[in-house]
Amino acid sequence: MSESAAETPADVFTAKGPASQDKPTRFFRRLARKPLAIAATAWLVAVSAAAVLAPWLAPADPLAQDLLAVKQTPSQAHLLGTDAFGRDVLSRLVYGAWPTILGIAEAVLIACALGFVLGLAAGYFGRWLDRAITQLVDLLLALPGLVILLSILAVFNRDMTVAMVTLGIMGSAGIARVARSATLNVRNELYIDAARISGLGDAAIIVRHVVPRIIGPLIVQLSLFAATAVLAQTGISFLGLGVQPPAPTWGGMVYEASQTITDDPWLLAPSGGAIALTVLAFGLLGDSARDAAAEGWTRGTRRGRRPAPSPRPTPSPRPTPGPTPATAAASPTAVLSVRGLTIVADGDTGERVLVDGMDLDLEQGQTLGIVGESGSGKTLTSLAIMGLLPPGTRATAGTMVLEGARYNLARPETLRRLRGSTLGMIFQEPMAALDPCFTIEHHLLEVLRHHGKAPRSQAKARAIELLELVRIPDPKDVARRYPHQISGGMAQRVGIARSLAANPRVLLADEPTTALDVTVQAEILDLLRDLSEAESMAVILVTHDWGVVADSCDRALVLYHGETLESATVEQIFSAPQHPYTKALLRANPHNAAVGQPLPTIQDSLRELLDDHDKETVA
């Protein structure tokens, strides 16, 4: 089937990788468009400049005392007032910024260098290196940080440089853990394998493909650690274990303000406000930088020209008259009937109709195949029946009659109690539907215990029965495994078993064989067909494959851009399709391709069929 033109992963992630297409100047331009980033950067730059230029910016000597002007509020002579010894608060605040900024820089640089390298190496190379680094990280996390810092200060005679370096080493453990986790998510992506096949070495792959993808969460983690370093440095000074009075520090100023809080509460505002704003600025800057970095590699096709939409075929008149889908009555024998399902997407220019007035009927034990190109609304239809439409889309109309009960599809909250017990669903990606943190048995027990009150022992026995029902060999052994320890075909069987756990009357299968090889596809389809017959279960099968429709379905429904073009038995669809679009779909079926001849596209076949129809009309 023809797909709409779009950039493929190979187009977006070339050998040079996404990082090479995103120059640092573009990153800073995106960052500069964020007001919070500008405000946070302005504050941090001002604090750093004040720390470096304190001798020239401070209006007075920070140590000079004036006992005739103690505890004064802000005035023209002292813009931020004076402390208990008559010293100028603004001058002490400016001079006190230097030890704070220096301590933050020392801790962050050490934590970044160690944490980033260790986490990246552990996540990318794995094996023994991952185990060794993980044990080291766990050891650092287990150490009591406050006790270690106090011990370091005692051993090294209150040396703040040694204390902040120690803080950086201990803080590198958290950064290493985040870097490792993010790298593990990227390491096994297909574009990493493509880069290896292209001949790139590990260093080039890490720099060009891995680092751009993990830099976002690392920026956030570093910003949080920088905020922690501010609190640690000022906390040590507050306790009097760092720079000794009367030398000005922000933490020392907070301690001095706490001694006079009852008769001079203003004194806490300058130092406390400076600390709070610095912590807040690091957090805001980290979030903004993460977003700016992510925007650099998630641009996709939005920066280029949008592909021209394919011309929609003009539906030809149906050969036989009959009621329109909007007025057709629901079948009295159907286990599931849907009437007038309309799904829209909310956008900047208003609502866009994705599925328009769809009707369908499903008899007990019957399998209905929904076919059409990508974007025709097949998956959205099944998700609307489950009440699980993705964000940004919603059903504005539609009625569902299920076992005699009527439901409004525009109110998905009313469908929640049907999921699992009456409506089951199998998703396209078998592994994506299984939580890697839990065993196969846990996945089944979770459903069984939720929908039933059976004891745990009976639920375990039922879980084994379900695995046997879907023809999994040695079900007791498979039940103890985790999702990553089974194959894709077996994972799909587990997904089917979980869908059957609550004995649903209707099963929705969203392209359940797309991610599987041909042999396993046939086994899964045979399994679904046998289960439908044995359990008298109705099935809605979403697929692109006409072979699947011919093998497994009793009826077929053809969708195009959300419109129902044709609905009939499988025999009628294959032997005498009525709509030109259905004929074009059948011509594009690879199973019917002539050897040595190019496969006709849908649009080419459709133009040819419409031309023939026009000629017949004229004749």
Side-chain angles (χ1 to χ4, degrees):
M1 296 184 184
S2 65
E3 303 285 349
S4 60
E7 287 185 66
T8 63
D11 299 324
V12 178
F13 298 104
T14 60
K16 293 184 178 181
S20 64
Q21 302 173 12
D22 188 42
K23 297 180 180 180
T25 53
R26 296 178 181 173
F27 167 81
F28 288 114
R29 288 174 188 169
R30 292 193 300 271
L31 190 63
R33 290 196 294 266
K34 302 181 183 298
L36 290 179
I38 295 174
T41 303
W43 172 257
L44 294 176
V45 169
V47 171
S48 301
V52 175
L53 303 176
W56 295 272
L57 295 179
D61 185 348
L63 303 179
Q65 301 182 10
D66 185 1
L67 299 180
L68 298 178
V70 298
K71 300 180 182 179
Q72 290 186 354
T73 56
S75 63
Q76 186 174 1
H78 302 284
L79 297 180
L80 293 180
T82 60
D83 62 8
F85 295 96
R87 295 172 297 195
D88 184 76
V89 173
L90 177 58
S91 300
R92 292 181 63 79
L93 192 68
V94 171
Y95 272 90
W98 174 250
T100 301
I101 294 299
L102 182 62
I104 295 171
E106 293 168 346
V108 170
L109 288 176
I110 295 297
C112 180
L114 286 178
F116 185 79
V117 172
L118 291 176
L120 189 60
Y124 185 82
F125 295 104
R127 298 184 180 180
W128 65 267
L129 184 60
D130 185 17
R131 292 192 294 270
I133 293 176
T134 300
Q135 291 178 1
L136 175 62
V137 168
D138 291 342
L139 176 63
L140 289 175
L141 290 173
L143 294 175
L146 180 59
V147 174
I148 297 295
L149 281 179
L150 294 178
S151 302
I152 290 294
L153 289 168
V155 171
F156 290 92
N157 194 24
R158 303 179 179 181
D159 191 329
M160 283 298 295
T161 299
V162 178
M164 298 310 290
V165 169
T166 303
L167 179 65
I169 294 174
M170 299 181 65
S172 65
I175 296 172
R177 176 169 286 186
V178 172
R180 175 183 177 274
S181 177
T183 305
L184 285 174
N185 291 332
V186 176
R187 182 184 64 182
N188 296 322
E189 293 287 347
L190 292 178
Y191 59 82
I192 299 294
D193 294 334
R196 290 195 181 101
I197 294 173
S198 300
L200 295 181
D202 289 332
I205 292 174
I206 289 173
V207 172
R208 298 178 183 180
H209 294 279
V210 178
V211 172
R213 286 301 186 94
I214 69 173
I215 199 66
L218 286 178
I219 290 174
V220 175
Q221 191 70 15
L222 282 173
S223 67
L224 294 176
F225 179 75
T228 302
V230 174
L231 298 177
Q233 201 279 340
T234 54
I236 291 173
S237 299
F238 176 86
L239 296 175
L241 300 177
V243 179
Q244 294 301 296
T249 61
W250 286 0
M253 293 178 67
V254 171
Y255 173 78
E256 294 167 1
S258 68
Q259 301 301 304
T260 60
I261 191 68
T262 56
D263 56 339
D264 188 17
W266 163 255
L267 193 58
L268 183 62
S271 55
I275 295 171
L277 287 175
T278 303
V279 171
L280 180 62
F282 276 119
L284 295 177
L285 183 60
D287 285 342
S288 300
R290 176 206 56 195
D291 294 341
E295 290 169 5
W297 55 264
T298 58
R299 289 191 301 261
T301 60
R302 288 179 291 178
R303 294 295 182 91
R305 295 182 58 187
R306 293 185 177 180
S310 302
R312 297 180 62 174
T314 303
S316 60
R318 301 200 178 208
T320 56
T324 62
T327 60
S331 171
T333 61
V335 65
L336 172 70
S337 290
V338 174
R339 289 294 178 269
L341 174 60
T342 301
I343 304 173
V344 301
D346 298 322
D348 297 335
T349 58
E351 295 181 351
R352 181 166 59 93
V353 178
L354 303 178
V355 175
D356 189 10
M358 179 185 183
D359 295 352
L360 65 84
D361 291 306
L362 190 62
E363 304 290 336
Q364 183 175 349
Q366 187 181 73
T367 299
L368 171 67
I370 302 180
V371 295
E373 297 178 71
S374 295
S376 60
K378 304 185 302 298
T379 298
L380 285 177
T381 298
S382 60
L383 292 177
I385 294 174
M386 294 291 292
L388 295 173
L389 285 172
T393 61
R394 55 191 173 88
T396 58
T399 301
M400 178 176 70
V401 179
L402 180 60
E403 295 186 315
R406 186 177 297 271
Y407 299 91
N408 185 357
L409 294 177
R411 298 181 58 194
E413 65 276 4
T414 62
L415 307 175
R416 185 178 295 112
R417 64 184 181 86
L418 301 177
R419 299 170 196 159
S421 58
T422 307
L423 295 173
M425 189 165 187
I426 306 171
F427 293 94
Q428 181 174 351
E429 294 291 340
M431 287 298 183
L434 299 177
D435 192 327
C437 298
F438 300 103
T439 62
I440 302 303
E441 182 183 61
H442 181 277
H443 286 87
L444 298 177
L445 290 179
E446 185 178 41
V447 179
L448 290 169
R449 298 296 296 275
H450 178 74
H451 291 283
K453 303 297 182 181
R456 187 174 181 85
S457 58
Q458 294 184 13
K460 285 188 174 183
R462 177 57 178 163
I464 301 301
E465 291 177 4
L466 287 169
L467 294 179
E468 292 175 345
L469 183 64
V470 296
R471 304 172 189 170
I472 289 183
D474 197 0
K476 293 183 179 179
D477 176 64
V478 173
R480 294 190 293 266
R481 298 183 187 179
Y482 287 85
H484 69 274
Q485 296 174 319
I486 61 177
S487 65
M490 194 174 293
Q492 192 63 286
R493 292 174 188 269
V494 171
I496 296 173
R498 188 170 62 172
S499 300
L500 298 175
N503 299 316
R505 297 298 309 279
V506 178
L507 182 65
L508 292 85
D510 182 15
E511 301 190 44
T513 60
T514 299
L516 309 176
D517 60 65
V518 177
T519 303
V520 179
Q521 283 183 19
E523 294 175 355
I524 295 296
L525 292 173
D526 290 341
L527 174 61
L528 288 175
R529 183 167 52 249
D530 294 344
L531 289 173
S532 175
E533 296 174 356
E535 305 290 334
S536 295
M537 182 174 57
V539 178
I540 294 178
L541 185 61
V542 173
T543 183
H544 285 92
D545 194 336
W546 278 115
V548 171
V549 175
D551 266 348
S552 305
C553 299
D554 302 301
R555 293 183 61 85
L557 186 150
V558 180
L559 282 180
Y560 177 76
H561 283 212
E563 295 182 8
T564 303
L565 300 186
E566 188 167 356
S567 179
T569 65
V570 170
E571 291 80 5
Q572 291 172 341
I573 288 287
F574 279 89
S575 61
Q578 300 299 309
H579 199 281
Y581 181 74
T582 307
K583 297 177 183 179
L585 282 179
L586 289 169
R587 285 192 179 186
N589 183 8
H591 299 287
N592 299 330
V595 178
Q597 298 294 325
L599 183 67
T601 66
I602 294 177
Q603 298 302 326
D604 291 340
S605 298
L606 195 58
R607 292 190 190 96
E608 181 180 343
L609 290 168
L610 290 176
D611 290 342
D612 293 342
H613 175 75
D614 293 340
K615 291 177 182 178
E616 292 175 2
T617 303
V618 173

